[in-house]
Amino acid sequence: MDRFSWTSGLLELGETLVVQQRGVRLIDGEEKVKFDSGVLLLSTHRLIWRDQKNHERCIAVPLSQIVFIEEQAAGIGKSAKIVVHLHPASSNKEPGPFQSSKYSYIKLSFKEHGQIEFYRRLSEEITQRRWESMPTGQAMQVNKDSQAGRIRAVGIVGIERKLEEKRKETDKNISEAFEDLSKLMEKAKEMVELSKSIANKIKEKQGDITEDETIRFKSYLLSMGIANPVTRETYGSGTQYHMQLAKQLAGILQTPLEERGGIMSLTEVYCLVNRARGLELLSPEDLVNACKMLESLKLPLRLRIFDSGVMVIELQSHNEEEMVAAALETVSEKGSLTADEFAKLVGMSVLLAKERLLLAEKMGHLCRDDSVEGLRFYPNLFLTQS
Amino acid sequence: QMSKQLDMFRTNLEEFASKHKQEIRKSAEFRVQFQDMCATIGVDPLASGKGFWSEMLGVGDFYYELGVQIIEVCLALKHRNGGLITLEELQQQVLKGRGKLAQDVSQDDLLRAIKKLKVLGNGFGIIPVGGTFLVQSVPAELNMDHTVVLQLAEKKGFVTVSEIRASLKWETERAKQVL
């Protein structure tokens, strides 16, 4: 920390602000010093730290003093840090908070994040070494007579103007974003209108629309996110994309299904697939549309929709009706079971356990007892004992 | 012909994306604006991961990933709250799971993600209660009766059989059933 010098914190002429970050603590090597909560500014020439509570308390170090920098990832209860290795202080350095230090590096602790962006910018500045080609007002500071006062004033005004411009630009960026968004939406609206008129033509079978064109039209709708107004045909709302997706799913889900007794809820599938993809995730609708095509594509999985609306994927080889017979045995052994108890016994999710019991009930094997204590299933003695 | 228009639109969208893609990810306010505008013109940017909006603006990934996180939170807490969670708590838990460096997630974001999840037939539901919402993650355990009583209980934090009888004019049995 002995490389730092006290400074006013104002940028010199020719010095530009690159990035700044609040909530940064300076650490001398491994020891905390009382520079805990400040704004860290990176300029083309220096690294400046200004105390958030006391703006007069401001120190800086020239970027030319930096040997190299490293990142230190955040830990439990610890903020992410950048380690800055420094050259020894030059003999004509301006006075600073420390005369000496046993460390030749400092750490910047980012308590309010921003470390990634700052590291990137700092790396850039160190590589580009812009301070070498942009002489700052320091040459003028050598002139310590009464003229210096006036030159400084010019400097301050110039800097204030720069900051004001930057503020305006940020505002402009935000309102520009909204403006551009409105314009974009206008164009999108035109697309929607166009698609409606095409859809109408298809419905009324005008204009010689071929099967091919219909398929292409569907994919246009998909790209735009427009609901398909054309009546369902063989593929439903599916498109080429969904067909491919269906084939992919068949490959991905084979093993997981076998591990889970041949059946998985669509929600589980959604999480599994998207977690595996990491990027370019599937929308829920994509998944449903693809699954609807599984059977028609003769793939080894199929989509099944229970009466309650719950959707599952099951292996073709899986026969829920056979599972019901096994379920009946389990329930009979225990006398009666709720969905929760059954799920625990068999090692299934409660959702699917419930569906199996409901199916068993539908097939007449089980009876329900619906009370304030919950829903409990009994073997259907009316059937077996009458 | 439509394909020409589509290409032109695609170019416009690419331009927009190159300038403003960051806004979508960083600003919850911008996302709301964006979604509302899409809804007005009849476009659903979240319908497919293959849609332009998703591919170029990355809107899709943001919401689909949020969907996964919501499902996981609900699953993890189901044994404790029976599948009912307030929107606030859901927000807290999701933010916790996302870690310190992730973007902010607003309640509007959560609601939109949940609306999409319903397509999966999992019984996700959003119940308006008081000034906020309850998120239900187990299918069909709640019917209208339950919902109405919940809303009644919201006001004071509890509800009694006599209260239910008085304000809803139900018989004792029905009230007891729901409770």
Side-chain angles (χ1 to χ4, degrees):
Chain A
M1 281 295 294
D2 61 332
R3 278 69 157 178
F4 277 88
S5 306
W6 292 112
T7 177
S8 62
L10 292 173
L11 297 177
E12 312 287 344
L13 288 178
E15 184 182 9
T16 324
L17 183 64
V18 174
V19 69
Q20 68 184 44
Q21 178 60 46
R22 287 172 51 87
V24 179
R25 162 185 282 151
L26 297 182
I27 302 175
D28 182 20
E30 301 297 329
E31 286 170 14
K32 284 191 190 156
V33 286
K34 289 199 176 47
F35 286 85
D36 289 330
S37 197
V39 183
L40 189 65
L41 298 104
L42 172 65
S43 78
T44 42
H45 294 63
R46 301 177 289 167
L47 198 58
I48 306 170
W49 185 94
R50 182 192 299 131
D51 195 326
Q52 272 166 224
K53 298 198 188 86
N54 177 4
H55 293 285
E56 311 264 287
R57 193 167 173 250
C58 194
I59 53 174
V61 64
L63 293 182
S64 50
Q65 291 283 82
I66 299 180
V67 180
F68 73 98
I69 59 174
E70 299 176 281
E71 284 182 279
Q72 199 173 33
I76 305 172
K78 293 198 173 115
S79 317
K81 298 182 178 59
I82 299 179
V83 184
V84 183
H85 295 266
L86 299 161
H87 287 297
S90 52
S91 47
N92 61 348
K93 180 188 78 90
E94 300 279 321
F98 292 90
Q99 298 292 54
S100 63
S101 165
K102 52 185 185 197
Y103 299 97
S104 62
Y105 63 96
I106 55 162
K107 289 189 188 181
L108 313 170
S109 177
F110 288 78
K111 299 189 296 182
E112 289 177 34
H113 314 299
Q115 172 240 17
I116 297 174
E117 180 69 8
F118 207 92
Y119 181 81
R120 192 169 71 81
R121 298 307 197 103
L122 186 54
S123 298
E124 260 176 41
E125 290 307 316
I126 298 175
T127 318
Q128 289 176 6
R129 302 182 81 90
R130 288 198 270 177
W131 63 83
E132 286 173 357
S133 46
M134 290 158 74
T136 64
Q138 278 186 348
M140 296 189 187
Q141 271 185 335
V142 171
N143 206 353
K144 281 206 169 92
D145 60 7
S146 53
Q147 294 242 0
R150 214 195 53 199
I151 294 170
R152 266 239 121 153
V154 170
I156 290 174
V157 166
I159 285 152
E160 281 186 329
R161 215 179 296 142
K162 255 193 259 179
L163 288 175
E164 180 60 33
E165 269 175 41
K166 191 137 195 161
R167 238 200 311 275
K168 278 207 206 118
E169 221 198 290
T170 318
D171 280 338
K172 195 166 73 94
N173 278 342
I174 293 179
S175 45
E176 204 188 302
F178 279 112
E179 230 186 83
D180 285 346
L181 184 63
S182 311
K183 285 197 208 132
L184 190 72
M185 288 300 165
E186 283 299 318
K187 303 222 170 76
K189 202 159 142 192
E190 287 170 22
M191 298 296 295
V192 174
E193 293 304 320
L194 182 60
S195 73
K196 276 194 200 148
S197 64
I198 296 184
N200 279 331
K201 282 201 201 133
I202 293 183
K203 254 193 228 156
E204 296 162 23
K205 295 196 169 102
Q206 282 176 354
D208 292 320
I209 307 267
T210 66
E211 173 100 11
D212 227 22
E213 284 175 342
T214 312
I215 294 181
R216 258 197 307 162
F217 179 59
K218 274 195 189 153
S219 74
Y220 293 155
L221 293 181
L222 190 73
S223 302
M224 285 297 301
I226 301 173
N228 191 347
V230 181
T231 46
R232 269 197 215 143
E233 294 149 40
T234 17
Y235 321 123
S237 332
T239 64
Q240 286 285 61
Y241 169 63
H242 293 122
M243 278 205 282
Q244 279 173 1
L245 197 50
K247 292 183 192 150
Q248 273 179 31
L249 287 173
I252 301 171
L253 296 175
Q254 186 76 22
T255 317
L257 275 173
E258 282 165 11
E259 288 170 359
R260 288 167 178 71
I263 187 168
M264 276 173 80
S265 74
L266 212 55
T267 316
E268 280 178 77
V269 173
Y270 177 76
C271 288
L272 194 88
V273 172
N274 274 343
R275 276 269 176 246
R277 282 173 82 113
L279 283 180
E280 290 186 14
L281 305 179
L282 299 181
S283 75
E285 265 143 305
D286 283 337
L287 186 61
V288 173
N289 286 333
C291 289
K292 283 190 182 153
M293 303 178 88
L294 286 171
E295 198 138 14
S296 59
L297 290 175
K298 309 262 194 298
L299 293 164
L301 326 169
R302 58 165 172 251
L303 175 70
R304 181 176 181 148
I305 306 180
F306 287 111
D307 292 339
S308 57
V310 169
M311 300 205 256
V312 296
I313 298 290
E314 46 178 30
L315 291 171
Q316 285 279 14
S317 54
H318 179 95
N319 190 330
E320 190 67 10
E321 280 70 12
E322 279 168 13
M323 308 305 281
V324 162
L328 177 57
E329 261 190 62
T330 318
V331 174
S332 306
E333 269 172 46
K334 299 283 174 183
S336 75
L337 285 176
T338 63
D340 276 327
E341 290 165 358
F342 181 60
K344 265 199 206 112
L345 263 180
V346 179
M348 282 179 87
S349 72
V350 179
L351 185 75
L352 295 180
K354 182 136 176 262
E355 289 305 323
R356 190 165 292 174
L357 293 175
L358 286 173
L359 186 61
E361 183 193 27
K362 189 168 162 195
M363 290 168 69
H365 297 304
L366 293 178
C367 268
R368 69 165 55 196
D369 175 22
D370 204 349
S371 69
V372 275
E373 289 169 10
L375 183 57
R376 188 167 279 279
F377 289 91
Y378 291 80
N380 186 359
L381 299 176
F382 294 110
L383 202 59
T384 52
Q385 286 185 7
S386 51
Chain B
Q1 241 262 10
M2 184 139 186
S3 46
K4 245 195 295 186
Q5 283 267 42
L6 206 75
D7 282 334
M8 223 173 56
F9 182 75
R10 206 202 156 94
T11 319
N12 284 326
L13 189 54
E14 269 169 2
E15 218 185 289
F16 181 82
S18 65
K19 286 201 283 184
H20 303 297
K21 189 167 175 172
Q22 294 299 327
E23 293 302 322
I24 296 257
R25 288 209 314 233
K26 289 200 298 199
S27 164
E29 199 196 317
F30 195 76
R31 283 198 291 276
V32 171
Q33 273 270 27
F34 174 73
Q35 293 276 19
D36 282 344
M37 284 180 160
C38 284
T40 316
I41 60 173
V43 162
D44 181 3
L46 298 182
S48 171
K50 213 54 170 95
F52 283 159
W53 310 98
S54 195
E55 287 188 328
M56 288 191 245
L57 291 181
V59 223
D61 278 6
F62 177 82
Y63 285 98
Y64 306 149
E65 191 186 2
L66 193 53
V68 174
Q69 289 163 343
I70 293 173
I71 293 172
E72 290 178 343
V73 165
C74 287
L75 208 60
L77 296 178
K78 189 158 66 159
H79 66 280
R80 209 181 355 119
N81 59 26
L84 270 181
I85 186 172
T86 61
L87 193 57
E88 277 82 26
E89 197 185 341
L90 181 61
Q91 189 182 20
Q92 268 173 29
Q93 295 286 353
V94 166
L95 283 172
K96 222 169 36 162
R98 282 165 80 93
K100 285 204 280 189
L101 295 175
Q103 304 113 17
D104 214 7
V105 165
S106 71
Q107 292 190 357
D108 182 83
D109 291 330
L110 291 170
L111 288 174
R112 286 187 203 272
I114 294 171
K115 283 203 189 109
K116 278 292 147 194
L117 287 179
K118 285 195 194 185
V119 173
L120 299 175
N122 46 25
F124 260 89
I126 299 173
I127 305 165
V129 173
T132 174
F133 297 94
L134 278 179
V135 175
Q136 172 195 358
S137 57
V138 277
E141 276 303 304
L142 289 189
N143 51 35
M144 274 315 294
D145 280 359
H146 290 125
T147 313
V148 161
V149 171
L150 267 175
Q151 287 170 332
L152 201 55
E154 172 71 12
K155 297 200 193 109
K156 286 204 284 183
F158 62 88
V159 72
T160 64
V161 175
S162 38
E163 257 184 62
I164 297 179
R165 281 180 50 198
S167 48
L168 300 176
K169 313 262 189 301
W170 289 356
E171 308 87 44
T172 318
E173 268 319 299
R174 187 174 171 191
K176 282 204 186 147
Q177 251 278 35
V178 172
L179 289 172

